[in-house]
Amino acid sequence: SLLSCYSLLIWCHVSIITLYSLTFLHHIRDIKDPEHPYSLEDLNVVNEDSVEINDELSHVRVTFTPTVEHCSMATIIGLCLRVKLMRSLPPRYKVDIRLTPGSHATEAAVNKQLSDKERVAAALENSNLLDIVEECLSPTLG
Amino acid sequence: MCFEIFSWILDHYPEAVKTMDDELLYWICQSIDEEKDPECLKLSFHVVEVVMKLFPDPSGFADQFASDLFEILSKYFPVYFTHGAGDNLGVTRDELSRALMHAFCASPYFEPFAIPLLLDKLSSSLPLAKLDSLKYLDNCIHCYGADRMVTHASAIWFKLKEVLFSLSSDQLLSSGSPKDAENNKNQIKSEAEHCLKTAVTYIHSPDRDIFINLILLDEDIVNNIHSVTTEEKSIDSSLQALGSVVSILAGSSTYLCTRVFQAHFKRLVDILGNSAGFDSQHLSIANGSSPAAINYGALYLSVQMLSSCREVAVASREGVPAEESWWLILEEKLDQIIHLFGKLLTIDCQPTQSAVRKECVSCAVKGLLILATIPEQCSLLLENAYEDILQMLTLVITSKYENAHFWRLSLKTLTSIGSSAVELHASKREMVYNRIVVDKIICLAESCDASMPLNLRLEACFEVGTASVNYMLRVARSLEETVIRNISQVNGSIECADYVACLIDCYSSRLLPWFFTSGGLNELALSFALRLWDEIGDLVTLDRIISEGLLESLMMGMKLLVGVCTEEQQSLIVQKACGIVSSMLSLPVKALTHHLLSVDELVPAHSVQDTALVCMLSSVIVGLWPQTPVPEMMMMINLFSVFLLNGHIPAAHALASIFNKYLQNSEFSHEIKLDKILDVILGGCFSIVLPSSNLKMSRSSAATSDNADFSDSLPGSIGSKIDILCGLAWIGKGLLMRGDEKVKEISMFLLKCLSSEASLASAAADAFHVMMGDSEVCLNKKFHARIKFLYKQRFFSILMPIFLSKIKETSELTTKLVIYRAFGHIISNAPVSAVITEAHQILLVMVDILAKLSVDNQDKDLVYSLLLVLSGMLMDEKGKECIVENIRIIISVLAQLVSYPHMMVVRETALQCFVAMSSFPHSKVYRMRPQVLQAAIKALDDKKRAVRQEAVRCRQTWQSSFA
């Protein structure tokens, strides 16, 4: 019975984590793709499994899959995700955004670019880029 | 344009046109051919319709031209209309389609061409085409006449069958979502059924068996019925289709009904009987553990048949043709089928049921309902069969309450059986119903201790009562009886008291409103109230009422009872109540009749009985109409004021009602000056509450002279003072609602109290809430209060400047807090539009109130309602201007409220206010941005999800609008 108790505990924990990740997914699912009028969830760029959370360490990792291997918008999508999470989460969270392994031609380069604080900040200084990001984040009517 | 002229000519000079020859028709053909503009098309369709109607003679041109014309027309069917909704053409697809339809139906000469086309289109895969052709077919059958249609009958039936049965295995092309497809399917289905119905009813032929033979002898149908009845099936669409075909066929006329019954009904019932017989054996062996095989298909079909035979019965009122009809067949099987249904009911009551079994049970219940609602005069439904049905259902109600869904279903069925008996004026049945159902159900409510939950019992009573006024009257009487009996019984346990309280509650909150809307409430409330008073008149009973805590519910019930009575009835009740109270009260009541209030009569300690009596009396007074004459007004007022001065709130309610309704009433004003008395009472109250106050307030001489004594002899505990303040507030509310000037006195006094000692002051602040708020207890529409239009707004604008100056004067923190609270009550209860007009004056104060009150947990409701007022201002143009002017301070207070710990909605609303503010002029708010963002970031980590979401929205809008 101890074992069952323990497994119940684990199950509870897992379900809580699932709940959390669903909440997080709620924040990012409606972001629009820069090239299409569809949301990231519609295009299956992010889904339920793409969000990993460790609440105690305040750490979030989002893994996303670009639609094609040579998608030139991968960095923009990553940037949108980062900005949206930055705006939606309490400041204590560290946000980590990555490509799904093997999903992109220049995976390492994009990952590096997305986790580089200075480059993200610099990108947000660029008004053209910022406009694109805002466009993607703007709430949809549906 | 040409078409327009032409159609006008045709409409107005048909005679002239008639004389023309085939030239005309030829030209019409020419001109319509290849026309594409929708508006022209619509007109041309109309032209064709009129022309074809003009040439009805068989040897005429119409016959020759019909084929040509129809060739042209048929190109347009089905109407495809590619223009979107945005194009402003003035013609919709529906109109066009309808015009074409009329053209199709214009002449019987189209018949040889139209019907094959339509039938052909029926097998189209487009839902729209299908739908249209069904509609056209329906109309054509009407227009062409039976003789012509007979030849097509078999073709029509085959096509319709195809449509109806193929829907189950649908291969419809539909572009939309599954919901659209579902919708289309339903539409097509109902259209097809409709069409079949017209076909069956309109196509008479000398040999009227044509359709019935077609359908009944159709192999598919026969096979279908066989397959359905041999294997156990859940409800699916082919079964539904089959059922609808059968019921349409049977429901069209008596003759058809008989044929259908002859063919199938007996066999179905036999099959059912077999399966159910097997069922019961099975159950007895396996103890109900395995789901018994009930032939659902057969059940469904037979219920469908029954429903159609009821339709036939209702349609042909005059009675059944005695021999050779469906009725004989039904009669033969009646006992068996009722028995079967009953068995289904009794078996299927385990709470764990599969969906199929649930369907089965509801089907069986439906069958019973149908059987019991077949009109009395045309069915020979034996009386004992009817009784059996009722008894079965009643048994379910009384014993099978574990399964709530099933229980409700049976209850509803019983109710509709009852109301149908009343509607059809079937007096015999009404009697039977009364004897079996109503009696049983009433018994349920009458016993105090039963295994069945009380709320279910009461629900059953009420539902059964709704069937008709007579039943409801019986229910009401039995409830009344039970209440009275239980009150007068000696063995008083707490359970019993709860039970009585429930009964009274049910009576006053369900039965009384029902009677009120549907009439029939004659002497009922009156007699109940009088009997209650009889009981109260007994000292022993009174004691028990008090000790069991029944007083509250009795008071509420009495108020409502009196509230629904007419004036004469009310006056009877008042007289009775007065008599009882004055005979039983330990006070020297007689002395109260003529004197005004004086010190000696202020007996400080009242017995418990006296208090209870006054409570009951006050609840009578509260419910009175303003026109009702009241005897011994003086005595009552004095009585109530004595109790008020001892801090008795119900007495205050009664006084407030009296002053609200009777002040300056011509009947009283000349003999007993009510306003004088009011002055005296107020004076008394004032001086007790604030003994030190110098007597500026109380102008009346009587009070002035007594005042010194009050302060000496009756120091009064703080508790009773607070109660008196509350009572004063009620009186104030009564005066306020009728718009009396005296309310000023009270409010000034309350204002004065605000600056006195702490607990008193806060009571005074709450008093303003009483005065401004709406109440269920007394002084509302239900209790016939006099309510002056816009009284809240008036009060608000009177008090506002006073409060503003007072706030400015006060410097001490605690006093200020109390004043803030009082003012907060007034602002939050005043209409928002009134507050907005004064926004420039009170906005800052309001924000300050919010800031100060947000410290304490107690004021959370007040904070919330104030915040709502603020957000109301944000929605208004004028309010917005004011807010923009003071944006800095408002935002800082709101930022404070974003982390308000006591109430979630406050945090949420504050964030919503921020979101609304982001639309303000950029130059005004951009400096506030960091502050807002910071508050929002803090709220991102909130415990409640709704707040976090709101915070994200807030942050998003502020971030993006200033990027």
Side-chain angles (χ1 to χ4, degrees):
Chain A
S1 78
L2 194 73
L3 197 73
S4 73
C5 208
Y6 191 67
S7 66
L8 187 74
L9 217 96
I10 290 180
W11 182 80
C12 281
H13 194 68
V14 168
S15 61
I16 285 173
I17 287 178
T18 328
L19 205 71
Y20 267 126
S21 59
L22 276 181
T23 317
F24 276 72
L25 183 68
H26 181 76
H27 287 310
I28 53 176
R29 67 184 356 155
D30 290 331
I31 300 176
K32 269 179 290 191
D33 187 277
E35 286 179 322
H36 309 280
Y38 304 112
S39 78
L40 291 189
E41 200 186 28
D42 290 339
L43 295 170
N44 216 4
V45 174
V46 291
N47 54 31
E48 273 178 51
D49 302 325
S50 60
V51 185
E52 299 165 51
I53 300 167
N54 188 333
D55 196 43
E56 282 117 59
L57 299 178
S58 303
H59 183 259
V60 192
R61 170 180 293 178
V62 179
T63 324
F64 68 99
T65 319
T67 43
V68 288
E69 221 168 82
H70 298 282
C71 185
S72 56
M73 290 292 158
T75 43
I76 296 284
I77 295 174
L79 195 62
C80 288
L81 285 172
R82 178 171 288 277
V83 171
K84 177 71 187 177
L85 284 179
M86 259 166 44
R87 289 185 188 168
S88 311
L89 299 184
R92 66 190 164 91
Y93 275 95
K94 177 174 177 353
V95 180
D96 203 359
I97 290 171
R98 295 184 171 276
L99 288 166
T100 313
S103 67
H104 200 264
T106 56
E107 188 189 328
V110 174
N111 276 343
K112 193 170 179 193
Q113 201 177 351
L114 284 177
S115 45
D116 188 334
K117 259 188 207 157
E118 272 85 35
R119 291 183 73 172
V120 169
L124 291 181
E125 298 279 315
N126 182 334
S127 61
N128 287 335
L129 267 178
L130 195 63
D131 282 345
I132 299 176
V133 171
E134 291 294 349
E135 178 57 37
C136 293
L137 297 190
S138 63
T140 45
L141 288 173
Chain B
M1 187 63 194
C2 269
F3 276 120
E4 236 165 279
I5 295 172
F6 195 61
S7 101
W8 192 81
I9 291 175
L10 281 175
D11 277 344
H12 291 259
Y13 302 101
E15 287 309 316
V17 178
K18 257 192 185 172
T19 55
M20 295 171 71
D21 50 4
D22 54 351
E23 199 80 342
L24 169 75
L25 283 172
Y26 180 71
W27 278 110
I28 292 175
C29 288
Q30 284 279 303
S31 57
I32 295 173
D33 206 2
E34 297 294 309
E35 179 63 61
K36 286 228 168 64
D37 183 62
E39 218 155 325
C40 290
L41 268 179
K42 194 177 144 200
L43 283 171
S44 63
F45 291 154
H46 182 65
V47 168
V48 172
E49 185 194 339
V50 176
V51 168
M52 289 314 286
K53 277 187 182 155
L54 281 182
F55 297 101
D57 47 332
S59 60
F61 325 98
D63 208 6
Q64 302 156 24
F65 275 90
S67 83
D68 288 348
L69 260 178
F70 193 77
E71 199 171 313
I72 296 166
L73 283 182
S74 64
K75 281 181 197 154
Y76 295 103
F77 180 82
V79 180
Y80 289 111
F81 199 57
T82 43
H83 294 281
D87 303 343
N88 224 343
L89 285 171
V91 180
T92 63
R93 192 195 160 276
D94 278 349
E95 282 173 8
L96 210 53
S97 163
R98 209 172 306 132
L100 185 58
M101 182 161 79
H102 287 309
F104 264 42
C105 302
S107 153
Y109 298 115
F110 281 151
E111 174 261 336
F113 319 105
I115 301 292
L117 174 78
L118 291 174
L119 291 179
D120 187 42
K121 290 288 176 191
L122 259 184
S123 39
S124 141
S125 58
L126 278 169
L128 206 61
K130 245 181 195 171
L131 212 67
D132 262 7
S133 33
L134 282 172
K135 265 184 210 159
Y136 282 39
L137 196 56
D138 189 25
N139 262 293
C140 287
I141 293 173
H142 271 289
C143 298
Y144 294 168
D147 297 340
R148 279 171 172 273
M149 293 306 295
V150 169
T151 45
H152 295 288
S154 69
I156 291 176
W157 159 241
F158 281 119
K159 283 295 175 184
L160 282 178
K161 187 180 77 177
E162 199 182 301
V163 172
L164 276 170
F165 285 94
S166 69
L167 280 174
S168 45
S169 56
D170 59 328
Q171 268 87 44
L172 287 180
L173 284 182
S174 74
S175 49
S177 58
K179 211 177 182 183
D180 281 349
E182 186 68 21
N183 221 345
N184 269 332
K185 229 161 102 180
N186 285 339
Q187 239 176 335
I188 292 176
K189 201 179 125 206
S190 67
E191 252 342 299
E193 282 167 8
H194 195 68
C195 194
L196 181 61
K197 198 161 190 181
T198 37
V200 173
T201 39
Y202 274 85
I203 305 181
H204 294 297
S205 60
D207 161 29
R208 55 180 178 168
D209 289 349
I210 177 158
F211 246 92
I212 196 93
N213 286 340
L214 266 178
I215 297 176
L216 282 182
L217 301 181
D218 189 312
E219 271 180 26
D220 282 356
I221 295 279
V222 173
N223 284 345
N224 245 328
I225 292 183
H226 264 296
S227 73
V228 156
T229 47
T230 44
E231 59 201 80
E232 191 186 0
K233 259 191 185 175
S234 67
I235 188 153
D236 64 3
S237 32
S238 76
L239 180 57
Q240 260 177 3
L242 191 61
S244 56
V245 169
V246 170
S247 71
I248 287 171
L249 197 58
S252 319
S253 79
T254 318
Y255 174 71
L256 295 182
C257 188
T258 313
R259 288 292 308 267
V260 174
F261 263 64
Q262 273 170 356
H264 295 296
F265 189 69
K266 255 187 203 175
R267 213 164 50 79
L268 283 176
V269 176
D270 284 340
I271 292 170
L272 257 183
N274 285 339
S275 72
F278 166 72
D279 203 9
S280 59
Q281 283 171 12
H282 197 78
L283 268 188
S284 59
I285 299 164
N287 215 4
S289 55
S290 71
I294 296 161
N295 197 322
Y296 180 66
L299 185 62
Y300 182 80
L301 283 182
S302 43
V303 170
Q304 282 285 354
M305 282 188 191
L306 284 179
S307 85
S308 55
C309 84
R310 180 179 56 166
E311 253 172 59
V312 173
V314 171
S316 64
R317 278 244 145 166
E318 68 280 0
V320 248
E323 72 278 356
E324 197 231 349
S325 78
W326 54 272
W327 176 246
L328 291 178
I329 304 167
L330 178 59
E331 202 178 11
E332 195 179 304
K333 291 288 169 189
L334 189 64
D335 275 344
Q336 195 182 350
I337 203 164
I338 288 179
H339 183 65
L340 278 174
F341 286 152
K343 208 175 238 170
L344 276 177
L345 290 194
T346 45
I347 292 169
D348 271 60
C349 290
Q350 298 95 4
T352 50
Q353 288 177 340
S354 63
V356 185
R357 290 171 74 79
K358 236 179 210 163
E359 286 292 331
C360 269
V361 176
S362 57
C363 228
V365 173
K366 199 175 152 201
L368 284 180
L369 170 65
I370 290 165
L371 280 180
T373 48
I374 294 177
E376 188 182 35
Q377 60 269 43
C378 68
S379 82
L380 312 165
L381 184 54
L382 307 169
E383 217 169 289
N384 48 10
Y386 187 69
E387 275 176 34
D388 281 347
I389 294 175
L390 291 184
Q391 245 150 10
M392 271 175 216
L393 287 171
T394 317
L395 189 71
V396 170
I397 301 295
T398 47
S399 56
K400 304 274 165 56
Y401 48 85
E402 296 95 352
N403 186 345
H405 169 76
F406 177 47
W407 189 82
R408 293 253 148 72
L409 193 69
S410 323
L411 186 54
K412 225 183 257 159
T413 312
L414 260 185
T415 314
S416 37
I417 289 177
S419 50
S420 85
V422 175
E423 268 165 34
L424 295 171
H425 307 293
S427 51
K428 229 191 227 167
R429 283 196 180 176
E430 261 181 83
M431 261 157 55
V432 175
Y433 189 84
N434 238 333
R435 200 180 65 220
I436 297 178
V437 183
V438 183
D439 282 353
K440 275 262 177 54
I441 300 286
I442 284 175
C443 282
L444 281 181
E446 277 175 358
S447 62
C448 170
D449 39 16
S451 49
M452 202 169 158
L454 183 61
N455 55 349
L456 285 187
R457 283 187 275 158
L458 288 178
E459 191 183 329
C461 281
F462 178 67
E463 286 295 328
V464 167
T466 49
S468 104
V469 177
N470 286 332
Y471 303 154
M472 192 58 109
L473 275 176
R474 289 196 55 197
V475 172
R477 282 216 195 88
S478 93
L479 275 186
E480 179 186 324
E481 206 63 48
T482 320
V483 168
I484 300 288
R485 201 180 51 235
N486 274 292
I487 286 179
S488 56
Q489 256 170 20
V490 189
N491 59 337
S493 64
I494 293 170
E495 283 162 34
C496 208
D498 281 348
Y499 167 66
V500 174
C502 268
L503 286 186
I504 294 178
D505 190 50
C506 171
Y507 192 93
S508 52
S509 65
R510 279 187 174 179
L511 265 66
L512 283 182
W514 191 86
F515 276 123
F516 202 69
T517 49
S518 58
L521 179 86
N522 299 330
E523 303 281 300
L524 202 70
L526 174 67
S527 74
F528 192 20
L530 289 182
R531 289 184 67 181
L532 272 182
W533 271 107
D534 276 340
E535 292 303 319
I536 292 164
D538 182 14
L539 260 183
V540 190
T541 318
L542 192 60
D543 271 341
R544 205 172 46 253
I545 289 174
I546 298 160
S547 62
E548 283 169 13
L550 262 180
L551 195 59
E552 290 264 319
S553 51
L554 271 183
M555 273 170 67
M556 200 61 209
M558 181 64 82
K559 276 179 206 173
L560 288 168
L561 278 176
V562 174
V564 295
C565 282
T566 60
E567 291 151 34
E568 296 85 48
Q569 293 171 339
Q570 280 184 348
S571 76
L572 281 179
I573 299 175
V574 172
Q575 271 164 12
K576 175 136 193 170
C578 264
I580 289 175
V581 169
S582 55
S583 66
M584 287 177 66
L585 220 51
S586 54
L587 289 177
V589 182
K590 284 278 168 316
L592 285 173
T593 345
H594 299 294
H595 298 279
L596 284 183
L597 184 76
S598 67
V599 202
D600 305 330
E601 281 149 337
L602 268 179
V603 189
H606 299 294
S607 67
V608 194
Q609 282 107 336
D610 288 355
T611 323
L613 278 176
V614 171
C615 275
M616 290 311 293
L617 186 60
S618 81
S619 45
V620 170
I621 300 286
V622 162
L624 291 182
W625 285 96
Q627 294 85 5
T628 310
V630 178
E632 306 196 64
M633 179 66 98
M634 208 49 225
M635 182 274 277
M636 276 202 260
I637 291 175
N638 280 330
L639 183 67
F640 286 133
S641 35
V642 169
F643 277 85
L644 171 63
L645 292 184
N646 281 286
H648 193 62
I649 302 291
H653 290 168
L655 275 180
S657 296
I658 290 177
F659 289 132
N660 178 268
K661 290 164 190 170
Y662 298 109
L663 201 59
Q664 284 152 8
N665 197 333
S666 58
E667 261 178 78
F668 299 109
S669 56
H670 60 273
E671 36 178 322
I672 1 161
K673 307 256 179 326
L674 266 184
D675 47 347
K676 275 264 175 54
I677 303 168
L678 177 62
D679 279 341
V680 177
I681 295 173
L682 292 187
C685 292
F686 294 162
S687 50
I688 289 186
V689 176
L690 283 186
S692 56
S693 72
N694 36 18
L695 309 166
K696 268 182 236 160
M697 299 297 187
S698 41
R699 280 169 291 181
S700 124
S701 57
T704 321
S705 62
D706 293 335
N707 205 35
D709 298 332
F710 276 145
S711 47
D712 293 338
S713 59
L714 284 170
S717 67
I718 283 291
S720 79
K721 276 185 189 174
I722 289 175
D723 283 342
I724 293 172
L725 260 186
C726 187
L728 263 182
W730 278 108
I731 296 177
K733 185 176 165 58
L735 294 175
L736 175 64
M737 283 172 99
R738 77 188 325 277
D740 196 86
E741 285 297 307
K742 288 267 179 2
V743 70
K744 259 188 199 151
E745 264 174 58
I746 296 180
S747 46
M748 291 319 283
F749 177 73
L750 287 175
L751 276 177
K752 207 167 193 169
C753 290
L754 283 177
S755 47
S756 72
E757 152 207 23
S759 59
L760 218 60
S762 71
D766 290 339
F768 280 105
H769 181 55
V770 170
M771 284 174 80
M772 288 292 278
D774 294 321
S775 158
E776 271 294 296
V777 186
C778 76
L779 290 176
N780 52 31
K781 271 230 175 91
K782 231 191 301 179
F783 299 135
H784 322 295
R786 294 196 172 181
I787 301 174
K788 204 169 173 189
F789 192 55
L790 286 181
Y791 73 97
K792 284 184 181 177
Q793 191 160 349
R794 201 164 294 131
F795 193 55
F796 169 74
S797 46
I798 292 172
L799 282 185
M800 191 195 65
I802 307 175
F803 265 105
L804 286 179
S805 67
K806 199 152 172 122
I807 287 170
K808 236 176 242 165
E809 283 166 19
T810 359
S811 55
E812 197 199 347
L813 190 65
T814 48
T815 323
K816 200 162 185 171
L817 207 60
V818 174
I819 296 175
Y820 272 173
R821 197 178 297 151
F823 196 37
H825 280 309
I826 288 174
I827 292 177
S828 61
N829 282 310
V832 177
S833 54
V835 178
I836 287 174
T837 49
E838 306 290 343
H840 55 283
Q841 283 188 49
I842 62 167
L843 184 66
L844 281 179
V845 178
M846 214 170 98
V847 173
D848 204 26
I849 295 174
L850 270 177
K852 291 282 177 348
L853 291 185
S854 64
V855 182
D856 200 346
N857 183 13
Q858 282 173 350
D859 302 314
K860 56 185 176 188
D861 290 325
L862 182 54
V863 168
Y864 180 53
S865 38
L866 277 178
L867 198 58
L868 284 183
V869 174
L870 188 67
S871 59
M873 277 190 190
L874 271 172
M875 296 292 120
D876 184 88
E877 277 309 313
K878 209 172 161 214
K880 252 185 209 169
E881 276 171 34
C882 274
I883 289 178
V884 168
E885 279 165 28
N886 305 301
I887 189 90
R888 180 176 285 271
I889 185 157
I890 291 176
I891 282 195
S892 64
V893 169
L894 281 180
Q896 211 180 324
L897 286 180
V898 165
S899 48
Y900 187 72
H902 308 301
M903 209 177 186
M904 194 264 284
V905 269
V906 169
R907 299 196 291 267
E908 206 183 336
T909 316
L911 283 167
Q912 276 162 357
C913 288
F914 277 146
V915 173
M917 282 177 177
S918 67
S919 60
F920 282 2
H922 192 267
S923 56
K924 299 281 183 192
V925 285
Y926 82 101
R927 268 178 301 155
M928 302 295 127
R929 191 173 156 222
Q931 206 179 351
V932 174
L933 285 180
Q934 214 162 27
I937 287 172
K938 240 191 252 168
L940 283 177
D941 229 355
D942 199 277
K943 273 181 290 209
K944 296 281 183 182
R945 185 165 178 192
V947 179
R948 290 199 297 268
Q949 261 164 8
E950 206 49 58
V952 168
R953 220 180 105 206
C954 168
R955 201 161 165 220
Q956 178 70 30
T957 41
W958 277 78
Q959 198 107 35
S960 57
S961 59
F962 303 103

